[in-house]
């Protein structure tokens, strides 16, 4: 268990792999913590160093402002500067993908390649995020949990006993942290900045994703010249959980090609 000290408190992170290896950083989705990557990490190349962290207001991380995507980008930049000795491959899922796009745009010196998983340059609308904020403020995260599970996972996974664990992860997220991230998402629009990116990029989608449909992910990939795009059949918003083997089969060659100097 490690922590990076930030102006608002502690940013919880975990580092796996050799200290001298090229680094890959992961940013997870709304309502999850760094355990999101547990199923896929053992399947990735063992020649790399992997950094995971809890967004502020999630998991074991303190909530600072967190109401603007730049707040989350500042955290990721600080983490890269503190723990990586060279540019990283940035893997971001959902809001994590927006963080990845923001960091790559603001600090291209820190990011050698991006993986945009189940994300877009713009997710949802001001109205849809405000409706979710109102529901949580009035009734708590449990009120929206079943609907979120339908967006996160395909029917086959929702029939498994471990669905309850992911539902628990969501409902045990601090409501204030979740709402702050919703506010950040309601304002975030990286369309112009992402269209200006010139770096290796890989986009991954699930064919039953109810939060970031595959066509939305593909449209974001199309903003970056040369970006690759893959759909993982039978998965929703968290394909790294539902089918980690398929996810690793797509991600690993990209990491081997772009993580090393």
């Amino acid at each position: 268990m490690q922590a990076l000290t930030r102006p608002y408190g502690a940013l919880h992170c975990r580092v796996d792999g050799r200290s001298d290896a090229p680094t890959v950083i992961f940013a997870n989705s709304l309502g999850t913590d760094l355990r999101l990557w547990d199923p896929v990490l053992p399947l990735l190349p063992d020649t790399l160093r992997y950094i995971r962290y809890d967004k502020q207001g999630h998991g074991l991380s303190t909530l600072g402002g967190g109401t603007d995507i730049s707040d989350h980008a500042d955290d990721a930049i600080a983490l890269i500067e503190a723990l990586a000795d060279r540019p990283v491959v940035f893997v971001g899922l959902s809001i994590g993908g927006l963080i990845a796009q923001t960091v790559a745009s603001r600090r291209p010196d820190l990011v050698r390649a991006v993986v945009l998983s189940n994300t877009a340059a713009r997710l949802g609308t001001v109205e849809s995020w405000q409706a979710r904020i109102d529901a949580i403020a009035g009734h708590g995260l449990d009120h929206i949990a079943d609907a979120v599970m339908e967006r996160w996972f395909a029917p086959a996974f929702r029939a498994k006993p471990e669905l309850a664990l992911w539902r628990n992860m969501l409902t045990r997220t601090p409501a204030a942290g979740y709402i702050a991230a919703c506010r950040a998402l309601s304002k975030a629009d990286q369309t112009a900045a992402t269209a200006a990116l010139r770096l290796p990029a890989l986009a991954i989608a699930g064919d039953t994703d109810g939060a970031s449909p595959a066509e939305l992910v593909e449209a974001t990939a199309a903003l970056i010249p040369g970006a690759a795009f893959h759909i993982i059949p039978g998965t929703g918003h968290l394909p790294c959980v539902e089918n980690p083997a398929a996810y690793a089969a797509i991600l690993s060659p990209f990491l081997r090609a772009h993580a090393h100097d």
Side-chain angles (χ1 to χ4, degrees), residues 25-249:
I25 187 169
F26 294 87
N28 45 279
S29 57
L30 180 65
T32 67
D33 58 39
L34 57 74
R35 291 174 291 179
L36 174 71
W37 305 102
D38 282 353
V40 75
L41 215 64
L43 307 178
L44 299 179
D46 61 7
T47 55
L48 301 174
R49 185 167 178 252
Y50 300 102
I51 299 174
R52 297 175 282 163
Y53 70 102
D54 293 336
K55 288 183 305 301
Q56 58 172 278
H58 285 64
L60 300 182
S61 292
T62 308
L63 175 61
T67 58
D68 194 284
I69 203 67
S70 64
D71 298 330
H72 298 280
D74 287 342
D75 288 337
I77 289 168
L79 199 63
I80 295 168
E81 290 181 329
L83 298 179
D85 62 358
R86 68 194 90 178
V88 304
V89 176
F90 202 132
V91 182
L93 193 151
S94 193
I95 187 175
L98 273 164
I99 296 168
Q101 293 169 67
T102 306
V103 174
S105 175
R106 284 176 47 187
R107 292 294 304 273
D109 58 309
L110 296 181
V111 182
R112 65 170 69 242
V114 292
V115 178
L116 306 179
S117 179
N118 305 83
T119 190
R122 173 79 171 132
L123 287 168
T125 64
V126 173
E127 294 76 17
S128 64
W129 289 116
Q130 188 59 51
R132 191 179 303 195
I133 290 168
D134 292 343
I136 297 165
H139 306 284
L141 277 162
D142 193 72
H143 181 72
I144 67 165
D146 291 338
V148 170
M149 293 302 104
E150 291 184 4
R151 291 192 291 270
W152 278 9
F153 300 116
F157 190 89
R158 296 203 305 272
K160 297 182 178 181
E162 54 260 47
L163 177 74
L165 303 179
W166 293 95
R167 191 183 192 281
N168 288 345
M169 183 183 288
L170 170 68
T171 59
R172 293 176 187 179
T173 300
Y178 191 99
I179 286 173
C182 287
R183 295 195 189 284
L185 283 162
S186 73
K187 296 179 287 184
D189 187 347
Q190 286 296 116
T191 305
T194 297
L197 292 177
R198 298 295 182 268
L199 79 175
L202 167 67
I204 302 173
D207 67 348
T208 65
D209 188 343
S212 51
E215 58 268 23
L216 187 64
V217 182
E218 185 176 21
T220 297
L223 295 173
I224 305 173
F229 172 68
H230 293 269
I231 297 176
I232 301 180
T235 65
H237 194 53
L238 308 180
C240 55
V241 173
E242 290 180 276
N243 194 339
Y247 199 91

